[in-house]
Amino acid sequence: MRSLEVNVNGTQNVLVAARDAGVRRVVFASSSSVYGNTPTLPKHEGMPTAPMSPYAVHKLTGELLCSVFTSIYGLETVALRYFNVFGPRQDPKSEYAAVIPRFLTALLNHEQPIVFGDGEQTRDFTFVANVVQANLKAATAPDAVGQAMNIGCGERISLNEVLQIAGELLETSPDIDYRDPRPGDVRDSLADISKAQRLLGYDPQIKFAEGLSQTLDALRVGIV
């Protein structure tokens, strides 16, 4: 209920306020979760959406609200479907923390990182600087109005590989605590970013290993 209140009603509140204030454009933070657990990879914007959680339903509803406000009121909107964003200043203690800060914090504290499932599930992990680039471009790109598009790196990596790379950076061998898979989790995710490249000029600059190293450096000095 709280997720619906924030992600659906909250989005509508923002759109109404933007319309009433004469705001030119709203960039909406959507999610790759709208695609669900389809085996088709990479995931592209022409695919049917199949959300598997209330959160994913709420994000898809936000996209539809944006589209309606563009068509009815002329408010420029752009929806960006983020793929597994990570980077400095993600709180590893948060209930909604991404898996990477939790992994890195566990390794730094000489604890077992927890993996739900076999660790072979894959994600298109996207460093936050790449997302910032996309946001800034989406604020002005003339051909992006009324569109939804993927923001990722076009590369996928398994959770086991994440821990392997993190272990190499820390010169340790992770002792992983494997647990039962969680219901609603997507098995594999990979973004087709060609639409964002075409409409935004999006060009992700920070590859995964470099982003992981920067995130680790931030955690070491207590930046959360």
Side-chain angles (χ1 to χ4, degrees):
M1 293 298 294
R2 185 180 180 191
S3 175
L4 184 147
E5 183 67 31
V6 171
N7 287 312
V8 177
N9 296 342
T11 298
Q12 179 164 278
N13 290 342
V14 169
L15 292 169
V16 169
R19 179 202 64 183
D20 293 347
V23 168
R24 180 177 57 81
R25 182 174 300 193
V26 172
V27 178
F28 174 64
S30 187
S31 167
S32 61
S33 64
V34 301
Y35 293 114
N37 204 21
T38 170
T40 303
L41 295 176
K43 299 182 189 296
H44 61 84
E45 295 84 354
M47 295 170 56
T49 51
M52 294 177 60
S53 66
Y55 169 82
V57 170
H58 301 159
K59 282 299 185 180
L60 183 58
T61 303
E63 288 189 13
L64 295 172
L65 284 170
C66 286
S67 178
V68 166
F69 270 73
T70 296
S71 61
I72 293 179
Y73 302 115
L75 173 65
E76 295 183 6
T77 62
V78 182
L80 303 182
R81 294 174 177 172
Y82 299 152
F83 278 69
N84 297 94
V85 183
F86 75 99
R89 296 185 173 85
Q90 279 186 310
D91 183 359
K93 298 178 183 178
S94 168
E95 182 180 351
Y96 303 102
V99 67
I100 285 180
R102 289 191 176 191
F103 280 174
L104 296 181
T105 300
L107 293 176
L108 286 168
N109 293 333
H110 306 289
E111 299 170 349
Q112 283 186 294
I114 297 171
V115 171
F116 294 96
D118 61 7
E120 289 303 300
Q121 58 266 50
T122 60
R123 297 290 183 268
D124 190 337
F125 289 107
T126 309
F127 188 61
V128 64
N130 297 324
V131 174
V132 170
Q133 180 205 137
N135 290 349
L136 293 173
K137 290 179 179 294
T140 58
D143 297 328
V145 176
Q147 299 292 320
M149 63 200 76
N150 297 333
I151 302 300
C153 285
E155 300 176 354
R156 63 182 175 132
I157 184 169
S158 72
L159 299 189
N160 287 332
E161 289 174 310
V162 170
L163 285 166
Q164 178 186 345
I165 296 171
E168 291 170 356
L169 291 170
L170 287 167
E171 299 182 346
T172 186
S173 180
D175 179 18
I176 304 170
D177 179 6
Y178 290 100
R179 299 188 182 181
D180 291 337
R182 294 181 297 187
D185 274 0
V186 172
R187 178 68 182 180
D188 296 296
S189 186
L190 173 66
D192 179 341
I193 59 173
S194 58
K195 185 175 181 180
Q197 289 172 319
R198 183 176 73 255
L199 298 183
L200 302 182
Y202 172 62
D203 181 21
Q205 296 292 308
I206 307 297
K207 299 299 183 183
F208 175 77
E210 181 182 350
L212 191 67
S213 179
Q214 290 189 32
T215 305
L216 180 59
D217 289 344
L219 284 169
R220 277 173 161 159
V221 297
I223 297 177
V224 296

